[in-house]
Amino acid sequence: MQFTIARFISPGGVTSPMSEEDPRESLEGLVDAFDLGSYEVAAYLAVLSAGELTASELAERADIPQPRVYDTVRSLADRGLVELHESRPMRVVAVDPAEAFATYRSALSETVNALETRFTRPERGTEAVSLIRSARSIRRYLGDVIESAEFELTLSLTPALLERFADDLEAARERGVSVEMIVTPAAEAPDPDQFDYSRIADTARGRRGITTPVIVVADGERSIYATQDAVRDQGDRYAVIFNHSALGFLVLGFYGTVLWTTADDRLLENGDVSDLPRSYGSIRRCIKHLRHLDGEVYATIEGRDIESGEELTLSGKVIKPQLTEDEEIASFLLETDDGTVEIGGLVAAYEDVEAHELRLFREPPN
């Protein structure tokens, strides 16, 4: 069966209503209407460039066999892309693309609206760990994780991804999210003299080479890990997504102890962290900020006892923050009403409490 755009347009030229219950016919018609063969594409572009051609001229310019020219141009005429002037010789006349494709736009809009009524948005975060391979899906998930951040983002991005998500990162900063970033490869990172990193991050570094993975972690809970080839749609295309999974700490720990400590190019150091209260998903980031705060600082910690596994919420004064040069050890003491407790990060072993979320204050929290 031959489908053309006429199936979507009423005799009066107005787009006819699509069936929201079954848009199959509309969709099939649109697919067929745009299903141009190689001869049709070559002929259309040739006529569009010339404005008007005879059938013989078209066959020569578009390299179409003479016996196929008439079928080809009539197919284009049926779709409203050209006009045929039945003279001797027959002339093929271009139609303004804005006019030719106006009905297609209307039909496509109607079909999209009909399809939207059937669309069921997939749940994000229903699986703790998942693997995706499509570069487009990977980039979409990167954006989703950035948008989901409430107080902290940890990122390793290529310069192309930095450009793609710059506005999203600026929006995150404006809503109070702390942003720590690696740009890789460092040789391609925007020059700090020409690019305002403070607009999108608190701290930023460049890391050498193309081996550095692409990473985004939001609030220490949602994270995605991908190869650079994956986001370029080259080579091994895969990404691992952790949605509120305890395994997500592997990404954050790998970033903090392996990637950050070997990112040697300082793009932005020690952005403004004086404003409190502030929340953290990473104890390393928390301690880095503590180093730049004067006076007494208080904290509320949500986490668990490393011996019993009991969920805890503790509040008190922060003392003796410790972060080794290699960032393998990060901890501080919390003076609570019930005594002093040592706070560590995820998978803490030597400290008393594994911290999941840390909030700093200037005054003792209520």
Side-chain angles (χ1 to χ4, degrees), residues 35-227:
D35 187 19
L36 299 176
S38 59
Y39 289 152
E40 291 164 316
V41 171
Y44 177 63
L45 293 177
V47 173
L48 201 63
S49 297
E52 181 177 336
L53 293 171
T54 66
S56 296
E57 290 171 336
L58 180 59
E60 182 177 351
R61 290 200 183 193
D63 196 22
I64 299 173
Q66 191 70 39
R68 297 294 306 274
V69 171
Y70 289 95
D71 288 343
T72 299
V73 296
R74 291 191 189 284
S75 174
L76 294 175
D78 287 343
R79 289 171 163 85
L81 300 178
V82 300
E83 293 178 356
L84 301 183
H85 291 189
E86 301 288 351
S87 57
R88 290 184 180 276
M90 183 179 74
R91 305 195 69 78
V92 186
V93 180
V95 176
D96 186 336
E99 177 185 343
F101 286 94
T103 50
Y104 289 89
R105 289 175 179 172
S106 178
L108 181 59
S109 177
E110 290 282 346
T111 302
V112 170
N113 289 339
L115 294 172
E116 283 283 356
T117 65
R118 302 191 117 198
F119 176 56
T120 300
R121 187 170 298 279
E123 291 290 334
R124 302 292 189 208
T126 55
E127 296 180 344
V129 182
S130 54
L131 185 72
I132 56 174
R133 294 186 178 275
S134 160
R136 180 176 296 180
S137 296
I138 292 170
R139 290 190 291 267
R140 186 177 68 249
Y141 270 92
L142 289 170
D144 286 349
V145 176
I146 291 171
E147 187 177 343
S148 73
E150 296 181 5
F151 54 83
E152 183 180 274
L153 273 170
T154 303
L155 309 101
S156 171
L157 299 178
T158 64
L161 291 174
L162 174 62
E163 179 179 0
R164 180 188 183 98
F165 294 116
D167 290 343
D168 300 295
L169 293 170
E170 182 176 11
R173 290 274 287 137
E174 289 175 351
R175 64 176 183 267
V177 176
S178 171
V179 180
E180 182 177 89
M181 175 190 303
I182 290 173
V183 184
T184 180
E188 300 174 16
D191 187 334
D193 292 333
Q194 300 176 4
F195 183 84
D196 183 10
Y197 283 95
S198 65
R199 180 171 65 91
I200 60 172
D202 296 286
T203 307
R205 293 184 182 181
R207 190 173 191 269
R208 180 171 174 267
I210 62 170
T211 58
T212 308
V214 171
I215 288 174
V216 178
V217 184
D219 304 332
E221 290 191 327
R222 295 189 65 194
S223 56
I224 178 168
Y225 176 107
T227 64

Side-chain angles (χ1 to χ4, degrees), residues 1-2 16 57 60 83 102-103 127 157 191 195 230 239 244 250 261 265 288 292 295 321 323 331:
M1 181 181 294
Q2 177 68 27
S16 58
E57 290 171 336
E60 182 177 351
E83 293 178 356
T103 50
E127 296 180 344
L157 299 178
D191 187 334
F195 183 84
H244 304 285
L250 293 172
T261 55
D265 288 7
K288 289 175 187 177
H292 300 283
L323 181 64
S331 67

Side-chain angles (χ1 to χ4, degrees), residues 229-241:
D229 284 345
V231 294
R232 293 191 181 107
D233 209 8
Q234 300 172 347
D236 290 331
R237 299 188 297 274
Y238 74 90
V240 183
I241 298 170

Side-chain angles (χ1 to χ4, degrees), residues 230-296:
V231 294
R232 293 191 181 107
D233 209 8
Q234 300 172 347
D236 290 331
R237 299 188 297 274
Y238 74 90
V240 183
I241 298 170
F242 301 92
N243 287 311
H244 304 285
S245 167
L247 294 176
F249 80 88
L250 293 172
V251 178
L252 199 57
F254 174 72
Y255 177 96
T257 59
V258 177
L259 300 185
W260 185 257
T261 55
T262 54
D264 297 325
D265 288 7
R266 266 57 172 177
L267 303 173
L268 173 68
E269 286 294 308
N270 305 328
D272 181 18
V273 296
S274 59
D275 54 319
L276 295 181
R278 184 181 284 252
S279 297
Y280 305 85
S282 161
I283 192 170
R284 291 174 176 83
R285 180 93 62 88
C286 178
I287 294 175
K288 289 175 187 177
H289 286 185
L290 277 169
R291 289 173 170 176
H292 300 283
L293 297 175
D294 296 324
E296 294 185 346

